[in-house]
Amino acid sequence: MSLKFYNTASRSKEVFQLLETNDTVKMYCCGPTVYHYAHIGNLRTYIFEDVLRRTLEYHGFSVKHVVNITDVGHLTSDADDGDDKMEKGAARTGKTVWEVAEYYTQAFMKDWKSLNIVEPVIWCKATDHIPEQIQLIQNLEAKGFTYKTSDGIYFDSAKFNRYPEFANLDVENLRQGSRIDMGEKRSATDFALWKFSPPNQKRAMEWESPWGLGFPGWHIECSAMAMHHLGETLDIHCGGSDHVRVHHTNEIAQSECATGKLFSRFWLHGEFLRMGGGKMSKSTGEFLTISLLQKKGFDPLDYRLFALTSHYRNYLNFTWEALENARESLKSLRRKTDPLIGKGGEIKSALALKIQKSFKEAIGDDLNTPMALGVLNEMLKEDLEDFEKASLVLDFDRVLGLNLGQSRLEPLTEVDPSIVKKIEDLLAQRNEARKAKNWSESDKIRDELLKMKVTIQDGPNGTSWSF
RNA sequence: GGCGACGUACCCAAGUUGGUAAGGGACGGCUCUGCAAAAGCCUUAUUCCUCGGUUCGAGUCCGAGCGUCGCCUCCA
């Protein structure tokens, strides 16, 4: 069964297969700059990439998945007047830049875990790969693709004919009305490879280089780390849609000029999460994080399911109502799949195999998660043996990652034993009242419990309760 | 100014090479229940932003328009 992905490079869906010389998919995903918490829009992209990796594995590939952590500060503009994001983060939090990087890296990894995103095979930090970056710049310099200005070493995009191809750029018109500050750059599309430290200023992060004390440019780290860990040609490179224009275009330029080889065979880009009509952005200050969602009573996996209900290449509108939909939907899925836990058996009926095939086709068709979820829901309604349903749920969850059909750890909230005692006392009183058919009394107790945010359920085997 | 995306029921959202609108949530109805809750069943777009065109047939192709948004500065 073929696996198809929409390749930004060709603007069309292409069948994905491995080169004959390889046995592993080499996949590089652009990670975060750790100067602030990741917001749920950022995380949408990592969920998409997680589904991508899981889908590759579901279709039988092994994947060498590399994600970078950008822990070095980059200026916010080409000119020297921009602020360094890491230094800004340090000023905001009163920590050193290294502490800021460590703190937000940990926070980021915690988010990944809570969203059930599979750990990459390699996490790599920009500051651990300074020599590789310097080497790559030296390589470009030796081949004549660079020039020097008073503030750094720049890539000369005019030397790379195919520069505009990837993003379909109209280089001439880029200049008109653009917000680019040219500085000493020869062209708007040139970009810094290495920046010199300002003469009278001590930077928190700077390194010795053949060009003097300074720090790497904004795109070089990804090329250097991707090639260091995966070789000169990658199978898949991905990131957010905003990376197409600048970041990935520049990565292609510097990598292909250095090696003379194709940098990546496939390019996949995730579209933005929208909120209130526009994208969610760190610079505007107002943004949502996983921990905020948790404070509002959501399970991170509610958000994961929400992300899965739309296709990764389309905008997704975040509303609280939509997240509540996802929460209800996940609850309902769990009610259906929890009783199947541990009951798995061989999938062999024609119907079950047909459903499994539909799922694989849906997910294999450029990661159509909404359709895959549809297949899951339909399957649960079908007339199948429990052992087949149980196995199909586990099978589908290898891609969906919603922890369905397997035992989960119970909610992290520790309940105070004295409160439990009180609830149980009230329940006992209520059951007495019910035995005596004193309905007004029993309803009164139920209301009291509701005030404590406790919901109860009367079943044939007694009353159960939950928060 | 350049490039690009999107507009499907109350909400989220799919719709492959055009063949007669997935799925989820909410709502409403029914069953069950002392009443609830939970669960089960049923119902919910003659119609896909508008107007033209191609076609036996268009949400799907073409053209025009309206609306929303993104990228072109770091950004997922």
Side-chain angles (χ1 to χ4, degrees), chain A residues 74 144 169 244 346:
Chain A
H74 295 149
L169 296 178
V244 177
E346 193 192 346

Side-chain angles (χ1 to χ4, degrees), chain A residues 162-177:
Chain A
R162 291 185 289 112
Y163 188 89
E165 272 181 25
F166 183 67
N168 189 214
L169 296 178
D170 180 345
V171 177
E172 283 307 307
N173 277 313
L174 222 48
R175 294 175 200 178
Q176 295 176 25

Side-chain angles (χ1 to χ4, degrees), chain A residues 347-359 375 378-385 388-389 392 396:
Chain A
I347 300 166
K348 56 188 175 188
S349 74
L351 180 59
L353 289 167
K354 188 180 149 217
I355 293 170
Q356 190 178 34
K357 187 164 173 264
S358 311
F359 180 87
V375 173
E378 295 279 281
M379 183 278 282
L380 290 168
K381 285 190 276 192
E382 288 289 351
D383 189 21
L384 287 171
E385 296 283 352
E388 285 194 312
K389 283 192 181 179
L392 286 171
F396 297 172

Side-chain angles (χ1 to χ4, degrees), chain A residues 132-147 153-156 159-160 191-194 211 219-220 223-224 227 250-260:
Chain A
E132 288 86 348
Q133 297 177 56
I134 290 175
Q135 200 176 27
L136 185 56
I137 300 167
Q138 280 183 299
N139 182 345
L140 288 166
E141 191 173 45
K143 289 179 176 163
F145 288 106
T146 67
Y147 61 88
I153 304 295
Y154 283 78
F155 182 88
D156 189 351
K159 297 257 170 68
F160 183 52
F191 54 94
L193 296 165
W194 188 264
W211 314 281
H219 314 290
I220 198 72
S223 290
M227 292 197 280
N250 290 168
E251 275 191 58
I252 289 169
Q254 67 199 181
S255 304
E256 299 193 357
C257 286
T259 66

Side-chain angles (χ1 to χ4, degrees), chain A residues 413-432:
Chain A
T413 43
E414 288 274 324
V415 182
D416 188 329
S418 68
I419 293 179
V420 174
K421 177 82 170 54
K422 192 176 173 197
I423 290 167
E424 281 170 356
D425 285 349
L426 282 168
L427 277 182
Q429 282 175 37
R430 178 169 173 274
N431 280 333
E432 286 300 312

Side-chain angles (χ1 to χ4, degrees), chain A residues 36-38 102-112:
Chain A
H36 213 317
Y37 292 108
E102 182 58 23
Y103 177 81
Y104 289 115
T105 299
Q106 290 309 319
F108 183 71
M109 290 186 177
K110 196 176 147 205
D111 287 341
W112 268 50

Side-chain angles (χ1 to χ4, degrees), chain A residues 351-413:
Chain A
L351 180 59
L353 289 167
K354 188 180 149 217
I355 293 170
Q356 190 178 34
K357 187 164 173 264
S358 311
F359 180 87
K360 194 170 181 180
E361 273 173 0
I363 206 70
D365 182 11
D366 198 31
L367 314 179
N368 195 333
T369 50
M371 185 165 275
L373 286 170
V375 173
L376 169 64
N377 278 300
E378 295 279 281
M379 183 278 282
L380 290 168
K381 285 190 276 192
E382 288 289 351
D383 189 21
L384 287 171
E385 296 283 352
D386 272 1
F387 69 86
E388 285 194 312
K389 283 192 181 179
S391 295
L392 286 171
V393 167
L394 282 174
D395 187 60
F396 297 172
D397 201 61
R398 286 167 55 204
V399 175
L400 302 175
L402 295 167
N403 281 153
L404 297 174
Q406 51 198 288
S407 48
R408 291 181 301 278
L409 291 173
E410 277 317 297
L412 338 99
T413 43

